[in-house]
Amino acid sequence: MCGIFGITGHGEASNLTYLGLHALQHRGQESAGIVSSDGHTLRAHRQMGLVADIFTAPVIEGLPGDAAIGHVRYSTAGGSQLKNAQPLFVAYAGGQFSIAHNGNIVNAAEIKASLEAEGALFQSDADTEVVMHLLARSKQPTFEAKLVEALRKVEGAYSILLLTEDKLIAVRDPHGFRPLVLGKMKEGAYVVASETTALDLIEAEVIREMEPGELVVIENGVLRASMPFKPAPRLGRCIFEHVYFAKPDSVLFGSSVYEVRKRLGMQLAREQPAPDADLVIAVPDSGVPAAIGFSQTSGIPYDVGLIRSHYVGRTFIEPQQSIRHFGVKLKLSAVRSVLKGKRVVVVDDSIVRGTTSRKIVKMLKAAGAVSVHLRISSPPTQWPCYYGIDTPSRTELIAASHSTEEIAKYVTADSLGYLSLEGLGTAVEDPKRNTYCTACFSGQYLTEKLSRDSDVAKLSA
């Protein structure tokens, strides 16, 4: 995942982009960047680390102009290095432009190899740079036409912001994998962001969510929208955004993230009850709404049994296993007075590798819990995501090779229950599951290349 934010038509564009990125920090903690335009020149600052540490007052002063785009990064394609930090920025024959990308282009390696064979030189490992090369090589007459031609050659997930000297452009892939919303400030400035929480922070009004396959150009205070791409056979909004990534206060794909997560917990309580438990607790923060829903439906009291340190980032999106492993102890601590002598239901959003869940269950038992019943508000994660989540191999996913009973034994839980795929569809109010991508749970990839490759993998498995 990544978070992107853009604004045009405001004299404090870089300051507001900083605030927008701060609201989207949960979507990426490796690096951050802002590129601004004063109408003639683009200026960039990118650095490894957190938004608040990177963008000091002198740095923001060095990014003048009334338009800017920003990016917080969590790497899926390209390593965790400064050269891969975004927004990427380039000068070419047609002028200057910068690009910020949330998603993952699944045929980037093939396109890159073809371009390199023709003499193209790449500055980063990021799949986003492929789009820049395709755009710069296009013979189309306008920048927008060049962009459309470039994007018609790529496959996968992209919500993209581009900044030229005089335009802010936003585009979303035809499947609509990654979110992107339009907003407007009282002063008239237009805003585009990954989530509504960023618009709320700067007091911008949400206009609407951008449509899958939509291209928006904002120039001289005028917004133009078009649908230049062939519609996808079906929508593919990422269901894991609702399960884990998005902030609970955001409205995502037309639904409140908090309310969806609460419904996930309510459905989980119906499917995987724990009638002998004394209390329900959550793995904070993403598990809290589901735990509240579980408690309300089951009638088992909810309490706070785990405290999260807010000085530690999200352990799932740490780039290295060694840091992720160490981060669990730094991140969570058990409340002994709540847990001692109790039969505990602990609700979490997912199990990916299993190592975090194992540590949490052991921590709860060490704090005095008599039994620990682990309940997961999503189905088993059995397939890698190639659309922007860091699960590149099935070998890293414990549910791909172990039964629920085996996983329960590994994590040392007294019982383990997952939400069903059908229950997940009910909770997001899409019971036929025809507008969401559930590939990480079902193995049903929506783009042509991955659908073909996964069918081969299933046949040979």
Side-chain angles (χ1 to χ4, degrees), residues 78-375:
S80 180
Q81 303 172 52
L82 182 58
K83 68 177 182 178
N84 294 322
Q86 294 190 29
L88 299 178
F89 170 63
V90 69
Y92 77 120
Q96 300 175 316
F97 74 92
S98 179
I99 183 170
H101 171 209
N102 174 208
N104 204 47
I105 295 169
V106 298
N107 62 339
E110 293 92 327
I111 296 174
K112 183 178 180 181
S114 175
L115 291 171
E116 287 178 328
E118 296 176 9
L121 300 174
F122 282 78
Q123 301 292 314
S124 74
D125 301 323
D127 57 340
T128 313
E129 193 176 354
V130 165
V131 176
M132 302 182 79
H133 277 271
L134 292 174
L135 191 158
R137 295 162 72 94
S138 172
K139 305 300 183 185
Q140 294 295 323
T142 67
F143 186 84
E144 295 98 291
K146 293 176 187 292
L147 175 62
V148 170
E149 183 178 72
L151 291 177
R152 283 176 177 162
K153 296 177 181 178
V154 305
E155 182 179 332
Y158 56 83
S159 284
I160 289 176
L161 294 179
L162 297 102
L163 185 67
T164 70
E165 295 94 336
D166 56 359
K167 297 184 186 74
L168 175 64
I169 299 174
V171 61
R172 195 171 173 210
D173 72 74
H175 288 280
F177 285 109
R178 299 286 155 224
L180 203 58
V181 292
L182 290 171
K184 195 172 186 180
M185 300 191 70
K186 293 177 182 177
E187 300 87 345
Y190 282 102
V191 186
V192 192
S194 293
E195 294 183 36
T196 59
T197 185
L199 274 60
D200 294 339
L201 178 62
I202 64 169
E203 299 181 344
E205 178 187 359
V206 176
I207 299 174
R208 61 179 175 85
E209 182 178 319
M210 280 186 59
E211 296 294 329
E214 184 177 17
L215 176 74
V216 167
V217 180
I218 306 167
E219 184 178 12
N220 296 324
V222 177
L223 185 150
R224 293 183 283 111
S226 61
M227 302 289 288
F229 305 103
K230 180 182 176 181
R234 52 158 286 192
L235 294 182
R237 302 176 296 176
C238 174
I239 208 160
F240 209 65
E241 290 271 4
H242 270 309
V243 171
Y244 174 80
F245 273 108
K247 281 185 74 176
D249 58 312
S250 284
V251 176
L252 188 80
F253 307 139
S255 299
S256 160
V257 175
Y258 177 84
E259 294 299 332
V260 168
R261 288 182 184 166
K262 193 173 173 182
R263 291 198 297 269
L264 293 173
M266 297 171 79
Q267 184 66 22
L268 180 62
R270 298 182 193 107
E271 294 183 3
Q272 301 289 343
D276 297 328
D278 299 309
L279 76 155
V280 177
I281 69 169
V283 177
D285 286 325
S286 53
V288 171
I292 292 172
F294 192 103
S295 171
Q296 290 180 354
T297 297
S298 67
I300 303 170
Y302 173 80
D303 211 334
V304 178
L306 287 168
I307 302 295
R308 179 191 164 192
S309 167
H310 289 270
Y311 300 99
V312 179
R314 303 183 85 174
T315 50
F316 178 83
I317 62 174
E318 289 287 357
Q320 298 179 21
Q321 176 62 30
S322 59
I323 298 175
R324 185 184 301 116
H325 175 84
F326 188 53
V328 178
K329 287 185 176 180
L330 286 174
K331 181 179 177 180
L332 298 172
S333 56
V335 184
R336 292 180 178 271
S337 61
V338 171
L339 299 168
K340 188 175 181 180
K342 299 294 177 60
R343 298 167 295 181
V344 179
V345 176
V346 57
V347 179
D348 203 356
D349 55 81
S350 59
I351 298 177
V352 179
R353 299 165 179 87
T355 51
T356 298
S357 298
R358 179 180 170 93
K359 287 181 172 294
I360 289 170
V361 173
K362 288 190 171 186
M363 183 187 298
L364 295 173
K365 290 186 174 180
V370 173
S371 59
V372 176
H373 303 278
L374 184 57
R375 295 295 181 266

